[in-house]
């Protein structure tokens, strides 16, 4: 919705919309690499256009790592990262497995998480032990395959209130 757009622009962050344009580097790589084209066409239609559009961004940007959050984005970006050969992938799991959220659950999530979890360069990270345990059970992988990085903030960045402000 653009509510952080101004802050990002002021910080010099380039804002891109996946699929809005096909960068020259991406188009050149797709034209010149038959195996890449086959991998791009192998992205299942069940994932919609998102993974293909994200793959185009990865081909253009050539990221050193891909870091995605939440189930839909994890799968879309994870599939795009596999297709384009991103060297490192971090998928952040931010609660319990999607089986607890039927409105969000899609039938393609579990098979894709299983594919992604088999890849050595893909790291799964949850924000709680309970979330890591639940995802490991659901995906059917060893619990130690999912790291835990708890939510937090740097308290030093916030000024303590004065006694008068507390009263």
């Amino acid at each position: 919705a653009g509510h952080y757009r101004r802050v990002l622009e002021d910080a010099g962050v380039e804002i891109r919309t996946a699929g809005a344009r096909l960068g020259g580097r991406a188009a050149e790589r797709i034209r010149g690499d038959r195996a890449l084209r086959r991998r791009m066409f192998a992205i299942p239609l069940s994932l919609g256009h998102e993974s293909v559009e994200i793959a185009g961004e990865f081909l253009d940007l050539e990221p050193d790592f891909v870091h995605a959050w939440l189930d839909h984005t994890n799968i879309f970006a994870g599939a795009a990262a596999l297709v384009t050969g991103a060297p490192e992938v971090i998928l952040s799991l931010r609660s319990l497995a999607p089986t607890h959220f039927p409105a969000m659950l899609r039938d393609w999530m579990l098979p894709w998480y299983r594919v992604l979890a088999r890849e050595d360069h893909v790291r799964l990270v949850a924000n709680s032990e309970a979330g890591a345990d639940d995802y490991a059970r659901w995906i059917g992988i060893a619990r130690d395959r999912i790291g835990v990085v708890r939510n937090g903030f740097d308290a030093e960045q916030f000024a303590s209130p004065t006694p008068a402000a507390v009263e």
Side-chain angles (χ1 to χ4, degrees), residues 52-91:
V52 172
E53 292 174 349
I54 294 168
E57 295 296 320
F58 292 168
L59 289 171
D60 196 42
L61 294 169
E62 298 180 352
D64 293 324
F65 66 91
V66 170
H67 189 177
W69 292 266
L70 303 174
D71 297 312
H72 287 85
T73 308
N74 283 344
I75 302 300
F76 299 151
L82 291 184
V83 164
T84 60
E88 296 291 332
V89 181
I90 302 167
L91 304 178

Side-chain angles (χ1 to χ4, degrees), residues 10-62:
D10 289 348
V13 174
E14 179 185 6
I15 298 170
R16 297 171 64 118
T17 302
R21 63 181 173 86
L22 183 61
R25 189 176 337 184
E28 183 178 307
R29 288 184 65 192
I30 292 168
R31 274 194 301 272
D33 187 336
R34 173 179 273 159
L36 172 62
R37 281 195 308 277
R38 276 197 306 268
R39 291 192 309 271
M40 294 283 286
F41 283 120
I43 295 174
L45 294 176
S46 61
L47 294 185
H49 58 87
E50 287 89 346
S51 287
V52 172
E53 292 174 349
I54 294 168
E57 295 296 320
F58 292 168
L59 289 171
D60 196 42
L61 294 169
E62 298 180 352

Side-chain angles (χ1 to χ4, degrees), residues 71 96-106 109 113 134-135 138:
D71 297 312
L96 300 175
T99 53
H100 299 277
F101 310 98
M104 302 297 290
L105 181 64
R106 299 294 179 265
M109 287 178 172
Y113 269 123
D134 196 49
Y135 268 93
W138 178 60

